[in-house]
Amino acid sequence: MPFNAPQLAAGFFTPPVGLIVIPIVGSLVIGHFSGLANEWAIFVNYFGWGSGFFLYLALLAVSMYRFILHCPLPNVLAPTVWINLGPIGAGTVALFNLVTHCCFIADREPFFVIVFFFWGFGVWWVGMAILLTVHYIRRLRLPYAMSWWAFTFPLGAYVAATHLIAERFSIRLIDHFGFALYILLFFLWATTLVNTGIHAVKGELFRGS
């Protein structure tokens, strides 16, 4: 089957996220093992982040190609543009934890700066996601669909990453930015939850728009 770029949506980022989140918890247990078990823990954590991150970069290039050169996403898939924040947010937290709990990194500061850069890309994507969402609401219509839940987890991951960055570098502006995103997250979550409940009661939850 030939590649059809217009059919590509940000849901393709789900597999990289499944890998990149491994060190969020896995890195916390590395120090609790010794010998071969410790080596396995290190291997699994670095495999998860490394493979997830570079898969994300590869898919990001394809995704940007689709956004720039092809027609907009169908309106029911518009919320999936927020999924891009999932790998960024989860990847930031995961790498932060890996650096923090790694036993063989002597100077951690350069790695924390790399984490900061990775998080910074998410600031741009938050802006793009908001602008695209507003565009769909005002110009193309944004009917409820189960894809609305894409507003929640990715942004939640990025809010957590923002809190870590603000705390690590003691930057109050980032802390305020994270709080604003938290308010936005709560609003999107509540709106999605209410609409899901309404459509479930009406029996329209999985009906096409």
Side-chain angles (χ1 to χ4, degrees):
M1 180 181 295
F3 173 68
N4 191 347
Q7 294 181 354
L8 180 68
F12 278 62
F13 289 120
T14 303
V17 171
L19 290 167
I20 210 169
V21 299
I22 291 174
I24 291 180
V25 175
S27 61
L28 305 180
V29 302
I30 290 178
H32 296 279
F33 296 107
S34 60
L36 185 60
N38 177 260
E39 294 178 2
W40 268 107
I42 292 173
F43 170 78
V44 170
N45 279 279
Y46 281 86
F47 157 75
W49 197 91
S51 57
F53 174 71
F54 286 103
L55 281 173
Y56 166 67
L57 290 184
L59 290 172
L60 177 64
V62 179
S63 177
M64 294 298 290
Y65 168 81
R66 185 255 179 272
F67 281 128
I68 294 171
L69 298 179
H70 292 273
C71 58
L73 288 169
N75 52 12
V76 294
L77 292 179
T80 62
V81 298
W82 292 78
I83 292 178
N84 289 270
L85 289 172
I88 299 172
T92 297
V93 176
L95 184 56
F96 185 94
N97 286 355
L98 275 178
V99 173
T100 300
H101 298 282
C102 182
C103 58
F104 50 78
I105 297 180
D107 186 5
R108 290 178 167 80
E109 293 306 314
F111 294 95
F112 284 131
V113 172
I114 293 173
V115 174
F116 201 168
F117 280 129
F118 189 33
W119 170 87
F121 176 53
V123 177
W124 179 83
W125 202 274
V126 166
M128 292 300 100
I130 291 174
L131 289 175
L132 283 170
T133 302
V134 171
H135 173 71
Y136 272 89
I137 293 173
R138 296 183 60 183
R139 301 290 181 86
L140 302 176
R141 200 170 68 89
L142 189 60
Y144 172 79
M146 288 298 288
S147 59
W148 276 31
W149 286 101
F151 287 131
T152 57
F153 165 73
L155 183 57
Y158 192 71
V159 168
T162 303
H163 172 71
L164 279 180
I165 293 295
E167 188 177 63
R168 180 64 184 80
F169 292 95
S170 301
I171 301 177
R172 293 180 60 189
L173 178 62
I174 293 179
D175 196 31
H176 296 327
F177 175 65
F179 183 72
L181 291 182
Y182 178 78
I183 298 299
L184 175 62
L185 171 63
F186 179 79
F187 171 76
L188 292 173
W189 173 81
T191 302
T192 302
L193 181 64
V194 169
N195 276 275
T196 300
I198 291 173
H199 283 76
V201 170
K202 292 181 177 180
E204 301 174 347
L205 199 56
F206 299 103
R207 185 178 300 174
S209 300

